């Protein structure tokens, strides 16, 4: 007879994945509300950035954080960083590509969600690198009171060009003219004929357009561009919530007849120029030559409402959420 016996075993369920090698655990301090995040809230194919993982998963976006633990030799406990993180109190960041150490901690840390972070770098790249400005040129900035627009206008003035901005309220128009130093500004909601409005502000035409809006605004701008003009396409916030995007843009033939160069860009393609950007902008901030306005929401629980407000123009300046103190 064959004797039977039981046998306990420990088996390998699956191959070990070293997912936490080089990871960092961070305490989130500030979160950035940015319009591009709207595109991640639906199923997208062929986009430059993936949709959020799934309904019920943690939203991710740019933020400022403090490292509380690290298995990555490039980051140590106590380091302050900015980059992509979770909308939560603590985040385990497995890929540290795209995280930046904060070197100038004597400036407000929240600035790294804006003027010293992605929006500021975006303004710099769009104006200086994409548009290749020449002194004395005429520049138009749409959504000019937002996180990017307010900085573009000031870069334009510092460079020696003429700039007009559009915004969605009288208060924002006053801000552009009286605080940010725009040469002029207008409330687009009070201008039913945008073509006529632009002709009144730019009787000789527009050399550079920093595009944040799209739709009917872009359509009117194309009619008013000068020969060999440049358009930096940063975003098109008017289109993000439409079922049928691109409505209102009918004058694309102007790109041909006026020899206009229109170029879209993504800031992370230019991360190699971030040190060059900081070298320029940090002294300007410290010397008070750049004015920066934040719209601050307190508490993680108020982040969704702050984000939604971007699309009705409720925010004035850079929308930032305070999660915790350092």
């Amino acid at each position: 007879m064959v004797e039977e016996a039981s046998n306990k075993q420990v088996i390998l369920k699956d191959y070990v994945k070293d997912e936490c090698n080089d990871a960092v655990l961070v305490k989130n301090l500030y979160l950035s509300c940015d319009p591009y995040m709207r595109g991640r809230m639906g199923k997208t194919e062929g986009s430059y950035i993936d949709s959020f993982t799934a309904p019920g998963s943690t939203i991710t976006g740019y933020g400022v954080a403090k490292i509380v633990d690290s298995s990555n030799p490039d980051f140590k406990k106590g380091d302050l960083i900015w980059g992509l993180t979770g909308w939560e109190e603590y985040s385990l960041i497995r890929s540290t590509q795209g995280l930046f150490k904060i070197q100038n901690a004597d400036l407000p840390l929240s600035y790294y969600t804006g003027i010293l972070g992605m929006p500021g770098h975006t303004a710099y790249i769009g104006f200086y690198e994409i548009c290749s400005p020449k002194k004395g040129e005429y520049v138009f900035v749409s959504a000019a009171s937002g996180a990017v627009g307010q900085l573009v206008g000031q870069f334009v003035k510092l460079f020696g060009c003429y700039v007009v901005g559009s915004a969605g309220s009288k208060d924002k128009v006053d801000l552009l003219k009286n605080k940010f130093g725009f040469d002029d500004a207008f409330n687009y909601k009070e201008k039913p004929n945008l073509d006529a409005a632009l002709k009144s502000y730019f009787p000789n035409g527009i050399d550079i357009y920093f595009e944040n809006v799209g739709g009917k605004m872009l359509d009117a701008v194309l009619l008013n561009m000068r020969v060999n003009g440049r358009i930096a396409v940063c975003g098109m916030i008017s289109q993000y919530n439409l079922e049928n995007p691109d409505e209102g843009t009918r004058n694309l033939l102007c790109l041909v007849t006026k020899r206009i160069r229109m170029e879209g860009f993504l800031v992370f393609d230019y991360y190699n120029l971030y040190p060059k950007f900081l070298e320029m902008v940090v002294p300007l901030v410290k010397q008070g030559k750049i004015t920066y306005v934040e719209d601050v929401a307190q508490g993680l629980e108020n982040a969704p409402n702050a984000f939604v407000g971007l699309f009705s123009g409720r925010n004035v300046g850079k929308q930032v959420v305070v999660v915790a103190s350092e």
Side-chain angles (χ1 to χ4, degrees):
M1 294 180 63
V2 177
E3 185 175 348
E4 294 183 1
S6 61
N7 184 30
K8 292 181 179 180
Q9 294 177 313
V10 176
I11 64 172
L12 178 67
K13 184 176 181 180
D14 202 352
Y15 291 111
V16 176
K17 298 177 181 178
D18 295 329
E19 292 183 351
C20 290
N21 281 0
D22 296 333
V24 294
L25 177 66
V26 302
K27 178 183 180 182
N28 291 312
L29 306 178
Y30 298 94
L31 299 178
S32 176
C33 294
D34 297 300
Y36 83 89
M37 297 169 68
R38 171 61 183 84
R40 303 189 67 191
M41 293 179 177
K43 291 184 177 181
T44 59
E45 294 182 3
S47 176
Y48 71 95
I49 193 167
D50 293 334
S51 300
F52 289 124
T53 305
S57 62
T58 304
I59 288 176
T60 57
Y62 286 95
V64 173
K66 185 174 184 177
I67 294 180
V68 296
D69 198 6
S70 173
S71 59
N72 188 311
D74 295 329
F75 298 91
K76 66 180 186 298
K77 182 178 180 179
D79 283 347
L80 294 165
I81 58 98
W82 75 268
L84 287 173
T85 188
W87 279 32
E88 55 192 350
E89 293 178 324
Y90 292 87
S91 295
L92 178 64
I93 302 175
R94 291 183 169 86
S95 173
T96 56
Q97 184 178 6
L99 291 186
F100 296 87
K101 281 187 184 180
I102 292 175
Q103 306 293 345
N104 296 281
D106 54 328
L107 293 170
L109 291 179
S110 62
Y111 279 19
Y112 286 89
T113 68
I115 187 171
L116 300 178
M118 183 272 289
H121 193 202
T122 298
Y124 172 86
I125 294 300
F127 180 60
Y128 289 103
E129 299 293 327
I130 304 298
C131 291
S132 304
K134 303 177 183 67
K135 291 186 186 300
E137 289 191 312
Y138 295 88
V139 181
F140 176 51
V141 183
S142 57
S145 67
V148 174
Q150 62 170 287
L151 300 174
V152 174
Q154 293 180 79
F155 291 160
V156 171
K157 291 305 298 176
L158 288 167
F159 189 79
C161 296
Y162 179 88
V163 63
V164 175
S166 66
S169 72
K170 180 182 182 302
D171 289 343
K172 291 181 179 181
V173 168
D174 290 343
L175 192 69
L176 292 176
K177 293 193 289 186
N178 301 324
K179 197 171 184 70
F180 297 141
F182 281 62
D183 293 291
D184 215 333
F186 64 90
N187 181 352
Y188 71 89
K189 294 178 181 177
E190 296 177 349
K191 305 291 184 182
N193 187 332
L194 291 172
D195 177 27
L198 290 172
K199 280 181 168 56
S200 69
Y201 289 101
F202 296 97
N204 297 314
I206 300 167
D207 292 297
I208 291 173
Y209 173 42
F210 199 99
E211 165 70 301
N212 290 309
V213 171
K216 294 178 181 179
M217 183 65 80
L218 174 59
D219 201 37
V221 168
L222 287 168
L223 294 174
N224 288 274
M225 292 295 294
R226 300 177 74 173
V227 171
N228 295 321
R230 286 87 70 207
I231 300 175
V233 184
C234 174
M236 294 189 174
I237 195 169
S238 73
Q239 306 294 294
Y240 295 161
N241 289 319
L242 296 179
E243 291 185 7
N244 299 304
D246 299 325
E247 60 185 46
T249 307
R250 302 179 178 88
N251 296 317
L252 291 176
L253 184 60
C254 292
L255 296 175
V256 178
T257 60
K258 299 182 180 184
R259 284 82 82 196
I260 298 165
R261 178 166 57 83
M262 182 173 176
E263 182 176 349
F265 69 101
L266 299 172
V267 69
F268 52 69
D269 290 335
Y270 297 87
Y271 275 168
N272 63 305
L273 296 180
Y274 181 67
K276 180 181 175 183
F277 158 68
L278 283 185
E279 186 178 321
M280 184 198 83
V281 78
V282 168
L284 293 174
V285 173
K286 289 184 175 181
Q287 295 164 17
K289 292 184 178 180
I290 287 185
T291 300
Y292 182 60
V293 172
E294 295 177 310
D295 195 320
V296 180
Q298 295 288 339
L300 183 61
E301 66 278 6
N302 290 312
N305 188 50
F307 174 75
V308 170
L310 295 177
F311 301 94
S312 61
R314 192 171 64 221
N315 62 301
V316 178
K318 171 60 191 171
Q319 184 66 69
V320 58
V321 178
V322 180
V323 179
S325 58
E326 185 184 337

